[in-house]
Amino acid sequence: MQTTDICDLTRSAVGIGSGEPLSPASYRELRNPGTVGLGHPTRTCPATVCLPNTEATHYGMGVLVLGDWIAQHPLIFSYSASQAYLPSKRLAIAVSTTNGPTAEGGHSAHAIAQRIVTTLAPNHPIPDFG
């Protein structure tokens, strides 16, 4: 996911999450639960990396299906972003952060997005996944 600013990230969340540029068949494929049942920790792949894909939280085609949300949330070096779209409410959330050298570990943008959602869509929390 590449963005120029937070507005771009929000437009991307709406476009991807709503399936606007896709045919109905392609949008179904985007959210396809074909990965459900995959992902378990092994001797060489820890539980923090090899996550179980469930109906509630799974990888689609280039997106994460997180409960009722369609999302992407990259975490690369000190950059963290979270974009999520709730189709039933036509609600998009976009957060981008840069962590400084003394910042806590973890996915700060996703944590902030989850907190925002508790106010905007309290009945539709964004689950953790990856």
Side-chain angles (χ1 to χ4, degrees):
M1 170 178 9
Q2 295 180 340
T3 59
T4 56
D5 59 35
I6 199 71
C7 295
D8 185 35
L9 188 61
T10 305
R11 281 190 297 276
S12 178
V14 172
I16 292 167
S18 69
E20 177 185 318
L22 303 174
S23 69
S26 292
Y27 186 61
R28 280 190 303 278
E29 187 65 29
L30 177 85
R31 299 173 291 122
N32 186 334
T35 59
V36 170
L38 300 176
H40 347 284
T42 66
R43 185 178 54 79
T44 58
C45 188
T48 56
V49 175
C50 291
L51 304 168
N53 286 264
T54 67
E55 287 288 335
T57 55
H58 63 270
Y59 288 102
M61 186 69 73
V63 298
L64 295 168
V65 176
L66 301 175
D68 299 327
W69 297 83
I70 297 170
Q72 292 179 319
H73 58 256
L75 177 60
I76 303 167
F77 304 111
S78 65
Y79 171 76
S80 172
S82 183
Q83 71 171 38
Y85 185 75
L86 181 59
S88 65
K89 302 283 185 191
R90 296 175 52 186
L91 174 64
I93 304 284
V95 177
S96 178
T97 62
T98 303
N99 294 333
T102 60
E104 293 182 26
H107 201 306
S108 57
H110 185 61
I112 293 167
Q114 288 174 309
R115 280 183 262 165
I116 291 169
V117 166
T118 63
T119 299
L120 297 179
N123 295 326
H124 302 278
I126 302 175
D128 284 325
F129 184 74

